[in-house]
Amino acid sequence: MSSWMRTQGEEREIAALQSDQPFNRLPLVDLHTHVLPGVDDGARDDEESLRMLRIAEEEGIAVVAATPHAHRCRADRVVPAVERLNARARDAGLGVHVIPGIEARYTTGLPDRLAAGELLTLNGGRHLLLELYLSGPWPGSLLDTIAAFHAMDVRPVLAHAERYPDVQRDPALVLDVIAAGVPVQINAESLAGRVGKGAQAAAEYLIAHHMAHLLASDAHDARAHAPRLRSAFDRAAELAGEDYARFMVATAASIARGEPLTLPEPVDTPGR
């Protein structure tokens, strides 16, 4: 796969995440946002996109993935929109860098859509942001679809796992997904309790048991759903320890670089 957006400046920004800086100063990568203007239910216009990027920079976020909903935004619109937004951000004096991606809603036909060029991996690398429906049962064909992606050398990232009702009832559902090599992403606002107690409890459980591997904002605007991550990483350190929270920071950076991941074994999980 191509890596059209990996500039030298971006590589330096992502590489900085591997430094020995204090935990609360680590530059962050946000791999799930709806920052592109006017393409889905995220930023309404250029001005809101820039406000979102300004908030991200204030949060210490160095790299932001633009991941519009695939069912609302055609894949061929994303890269030009990212290039335009990066130019606007530079003109506004912002240092945060935007990389392309897409959030693909689960169907069994997703591998075929990726092969047809209808989806984008994160930064042109090996990972695809995959969301399930927020209502309805856990898909019984999910592992088969993951295997189909693996046959294409593509690794899904499970978006906002804590928001799915079945996971809230039984967090152990994600164990088979993790065993299949799929990193689990948690929304920062879920961890803060802003989308309900069920999502918050599931997010805390998944992090505490090493069943979540990265945090992202899923930002949709510059107001209630802004790209804020720093306090969520502080909470992750409280739940799982600073070393694990640092691993979560580094995981997002590795995904942005298209690197293979080794996921840790979950800890203290009940048998199913």
Side-chain angles (χ1 to χ4, degrees):
M1 292 186 180
S2 63
S3 55
W4 350 261
M5 296 299 294
R6 291 180 196 158
T7 66
Q8 289 183 347
E10 176 201 332
E11 290 290 352
R12 286 194 298 270
E13 289 165 344
I14 297 176
L17 289 152
Q18 308 304 320
S19 69
D20 294 327
Q21 295 188 48
F23 176 66
N24 63 358
R25 299 287 300 277
L26 284 175
L28 305 175
V29 172
D30 188 354
L31 289 182
H32 185 174
T33 78
H34 299 268
V35 70
L36 292 182
V39 299
D40 63 357
D41 58 345
R44 295 168 297 178
D45 50 34
D46 287 356
E47 287 68 28
E48 183 159 42
S49 293
L50 290 176
R51 287 196 299 272
M52 291 172 71
L53 292 180
R54 189 166 288 109
I55 291 169
E57 189 160 279
E58 291 168 355
E59 285 281 301
I61 297 170
V63 176
V64 169
T67 54
H69 295 290
H71 59 282
R72 296 194 179 197
C73 177
R74 282 177 21 187
D76 60 6
R77 298 179 62 190
V78 176
V79 173
V82 165
E83 293 173 342
R84 181 174 178 273
L85 182 55
N86 274 321
R88 289 292 307 273
R90 287 194 300 271
D91 290 345
L94 296 174
V96 62
H97 187 76
V98 185
I99 59 176
I102 213 159
E103 183 178 14
R105 181 172 290 175
Y106 179 77
T107 70
T108 56
L110 283 182
D112 290 337
R113 290 189 63 196
L114 179 64
E118 297 175 8
L119 303 175
L120 294 178
T121 57
L122 289 162
N123 202 26
R126 60 192 291 142
H127 292 91
L128 174 75
L129 187 65
L130 172 66
E131 69 166 342
L132 309 182
Y133 283 91
L134 293 175
S135 60
W138 186 260
S141 55
L142 180 58
L143 292 178
D144 290 337
T145 303
I146 290 169
F149 275 125
H150 286 186
M152 303 169 69
D153 197 28
V154 170
R155 301 295 185 263
V157 176
L158 183 61
H160 44 57
E162 80 289 348
R163 296 191 62 195
Y164 305 125
D166 282 352
V167 174
Q168 293 178 14
R169 288 188 288 269
D170 180 15
L173 268 177
V174 304
L175 289 173
D176 288 342
V177 172
I178 294 168
V182 174
V184 171
Q185 178 252 307
I186 298 294
N187 281 2
E189 66 178 9
S190 295
L191 198 54
R194 291 196 291 272
V195 292
K197 292 183 178 179
Q200 183 179 29
E204 291 177 344
Y205 183 96
L206 292 172
I207 292 170
H209 293 271
H210 296 189
M211 296 161 64
H213 311 100
L214 64 151
L215 291 167
S217 70
D218 194 7
H220 279 66
D221 55 48
R223 302 174 304 281
H225 304 288
R228 301 188 186 279
L229 288 181
R230 188 67 68 182
S231 62
F233 277 107
D234 291 341
R235 179 61 178 144
E238 293 173 357
L239 290 165
E242 184 179 307
D243 285 348
Y244 194 77
R246 282 180 175 268
F247 158 78
M248 296 180 80
V249 174
T251 296
S254 293
I255 290 172
R257 289 196 296 265
E259 296 174 348
L261 299 176
T262 299
L263 301 181
E265 289 291 326
V267 297
D268 300 326
T269 55
R272 295 191 59 189

